[in-house]
Amino acid sequence: ATYQATTPDVSAPCSADANSVAALDDGAPDEPGGAPVYGRLAKVALRGGGQGPSDEAPRTQLLAHLRSSSDVCVLLVAGILSACLACGSALPQSFLSSSGLLPTAPPDGGGGDGGPEVVLLVMRALERHTSLRVVVLQALVQFVLSMAAHAGASIDGGGSAGEAAWLEAARGSARGALRSAAKHVRSYLQGALADAFLDIFAEEWEAHCTRPPGIKEACANLRCLAPQAASGSVGGAQGWTADWAFPGSSERQHAAKAIRVFLLLRQLCQELSKEGASESKDDVAMTSSFGSAGGATSSSAARNPLHVLEEVADGYEDQRSVELGRQDRIVCAVASAEGRQSRYLVLHQFLLLLVQPDLVSPGWGIVRTLAPVRAVETQIDRNHPQTLRLGIRLPKGAPSPGAASSYDPATCEEPFFRKLADEHRGSSFYMLTLNFMDTKRCHCADLHLRKRRQEVRAQLKKRAEEFLEGFCS
């Protein structure tokens, strides 16, 4: 992600509102098997502990925190609600139904409750996504999906019409929140970030495909309960996650948060469309073209709007022998641990492709450096016009591109490749120097790489805009 906390050592207490919610926990011990027993907490929070007219007061106060301006309160309430659903052995379905967490079915087998109050309040909280941190939205989404899974199983087993009704209402509310989030992201695409938006989107897509920390960890960590604004600093303590921070003043950080929220709500809509008896037209339209974003798999990568099929269509792989045939190429050299090495810079339309000539088999070569051309920036050395420096930006965890060496863009000696700290939160950077026989070849290589980078990124920006438009209408 591209936003992170200012100070890793956060010692301030959580807010007074958060303390009032946390105080509802009476410190009940864990039950055998590790699942927390919330017993009296859940009964006081959701139904009340006495027999008088004030029984509903604690429950009402708890649910009121879903509308709180403090997102810490919203997070804690989402944690309590999710825990109640998870502890089925300690909190039976009859209790959850009477508390309003699950819909109730009338004795005559009729329609039942059309929509639990708790779920409707959670969905309204999701609509305030611009003011909530990513971790809070993750907790809310997890609770809604747990409720939807319960309702889907009940519907498949012949459950009440009330469950189907509130599930459909939840879908509609989720689509509304997603539409709002898509418009918010689109404003950054059309703003001052220009095509830097593409780098932020790629980073957040990768971050979204990783499993986030659990709600229990977030609700128990003071760094999450006393959130800080993000900054350009790179530091962070063990267990810290950038999703726990508010974005700082940088537009890049706000854009990163908006994209992450959009992807989270998009996933919620897709998961809700799978629950229940059938999908609505809106659900089908929203999921058929773009698929799910559940994990870092090849299928999810193919559904990424920034996925470029032509980058993998030819089947190039690092260290693999390939036939060059009549492909245009320029002879150059790179410095390596073994000394100066000859290379062919193959003028591929979508790839930076450096091939070592095969001296045994003419017309063949071995791939030594491979990277998307859209990820490559070039700069001719002013003092040595036959030298071309390449800066390569790849997602964190991607393989190192051949002989390229990693570098820190915040402290890079080359001003052209230097970047602010908040511009490279989710990427790895590499540098490679190519030496050509003359300035003409150097300028030809520079022109090819610059032109193709601009053209491919222009196509991707248009594709991203079309992708977002599909959710805005």
Side-chain angles (χ1 to χ4, degrees):
T2 60
Y3 42 90
Q4 198 160 17
T6 305
T7 308
D9 183 15
V10 179
S11 57
C14 54
S15 65
D17 285 344
N19 282 327
S20 66
V21 178
L24 291 172
D25 192 347
D26 62 355
D30 289 351
E31 70 174 337
V37 177
Y38 285 86
R40 190 156 60 93
L41 161 66
K43 292 179 180 178
V44 171
L46 291 176
R47 189 169 58 186
Q51 302 293 329
S54 63
D55 287 353
E56 289 294 321
R59 176 182 180 275
T60 302
Q61 292 173 6
L62 178 73
L63 297 182
H65 284 292
L66 287 171
R67 297 187 291 269
S68 171
S69 59
S70 169
D71 78 338
V72 174
C73 295
V74 180
L75 171 64
L76 291 172
V77 174
I80 292 173
L81 297 178
S82 295
C84 291
L85 280 181
C87 300
S89 58
L91 303 173
Q93 181 172 342
S94 59
F95 166 75
L96 296 177
S97 297
S98 63
S99 68
L101 237 141
L102 297 179
T104 57
D108 59 1
D113 189 355
E117 175 192 6
V118 175
V119 180
L120 298 180
L121 289 174
V122 169
M123 297 307 297
R124 288 172 187 167
L126 283 173
E127 295 172 358
R128 298 189 287 118
H129 56 83
T130 56
S131 62
L132 301 177
R133 287 172 294 156
V134 173
V135 64
V136 181
L137 293 164
Q138 289 171 340
L140 294 172
V141 166
Q142 180 174 326
F143 170 71
V144 173
L145 291 180
S146 297
M147 289 286 292
H150 182 279
S154 178
I155 292 172
D156 293 340
S160 69
E163 290 173 317
W166 80 253
L167 185 56
E168 184 59 34
R171 289 178 182 142
S173 182
R175 288 194 294 268
L178 176 61
R179 188 176 300 111
S180 171
K183 293 179 179 179
H184 191 205
V185 174
R186 185 178 60 180
S187 69
Y188 290 104
L189 173 64
Q190 300 171 343
L193 290 172
D195 74 345
F197 174 91
L198 301 176
D199 298 320
I200 303 172
F201 191 96
E203 291 175 356
E204 294 308 313
W205 183 282
E206 292 298 324
H208 178 70
C209 289
T210 61
R211 185 177 180 85
I215 298 178
K216 180 179 179 181
E217 179 183 354
C219 292
N221 196 308
L222 187 59
R223 294 186 177 90
C224 185
L225 299 181
Q228 299 290 307
S231 75
S233 61
V234 182
Q238 183 178 6
W240 180 264
T241 168
D243 295 342
W244 293 356
F246 287 107
S249 58
S250 168
E251 185 173 7
R252 292 182 65 94
Q253 295 175 10
H254 284 276
K257 189 243 179 178
I259 293 169
R260 192 68 177 278
V261 169
F262 161 75
L263 294 175
L264 188 62
L265 292 174
R266 170 176 171 264
Q267 183 179 9
L268 172 62
C269 288
Q270 292 166 345
E271 294 298 327
L272 286 178
S273 71
K274 300 175 185 177
E275 302 294 348
S278 62
E279 295 182 351
S280 68
K281 288 184 178 180
D282 289 339
D283 291 324
V284 173
M286 198 163 285
T287 59
S288 60
S289 298
F290 307 119
S292 64
T297 63
S298 58
S299 60
S300 66
R303 292 166 180 146
N304 185 338
L306 302 188
H307 175 73
V308 180
L309 180 61
E310 292 83 356
E311 292 175 355
V312 297
D314 294 329
Y316 290 114
E317 295 180 12
D318 197 27
Q319 309 303 319
R320 180 180 177 182
S321 181
V322 295
E323 184 176 9
L324 298 175
R326 292 182 170 273
Q327 294 186 76
D328 294 334
R329 51 191 181 270
I330 303 174
V331 178
C332 63
V334 298
S336 67
E338 294 79 21
R340 189 181 176 92
Q341 301 286 325
S342 295
R343 295 286 186 268
Y344 288 139
L345 172 61
V346 179
L347 303 185
H348 195 281
Q349 297 296 297
F350 295 92
L351 294 171
L352 167 66
L353 183 59
L354 288 173
V355 177
Q356 178 182 343
D358 191 331
L359 301 180
V360 177
S361 302
W364 286 74
I366 301 173
V367 176
R368 295 303 188 190
T369 302
L370 185 66
V373 73
R374 59 189 167 106
V376 179
E377 292 183 285
T378 63
Q379 178 73 12
I380 296 177
D381 192 322
R382 293 182 180 180
N383 298 323
H384 304 279
Q386 297 174 349
T387 299
L388 182 65
R389 302 192 188 280
L390 309 181
I392 306 171
R393 178 176 188 155
L394 297 176
K396 283 190 174 179
S400 173
S405 57
S406 61
Y407 76 97
D408 183 356
T411 59
C412 180
E413 296 180 358
E414 295 284 343
F416 180 78
F417 297 109
R418 195 177 302 151
K419 300 181 185 299
L420 297 176
D422 71 340
E423 295 183 27
H424 54 85
R425 200 57 85 229
S427 299
S428 297
F429 290 80
Y430 302 88
M431 186 172 291
L432 183 64
T433 301
L434 305 181
N435 295 300
F436 295 86
M437 297 175 62
D438 53 47
T439 58
K440 182 178 179 180
R441 287 179 172 85
C442 184
H443 281 275
C444 182
D446 178 56
L447 178 62
H448 167 77
L449 293 174
R450 283 178 181 266
K451 181 180 178 181
R452 287 307 303 158
R453 170 185 166 88
Q454 293 172 358
E455 291 175 350
V456 173
R457 290 174 77 89
Q459 294 173 7
L460 291 179
K461 188 174 181 180
K462 182 178 180 181
R463 190 186 300 175
E465 188 169 6
E466 292 173 350
F467 176 75
L468 292 172
E469 285 293 339
F471 297 96
C472 291
S473 57

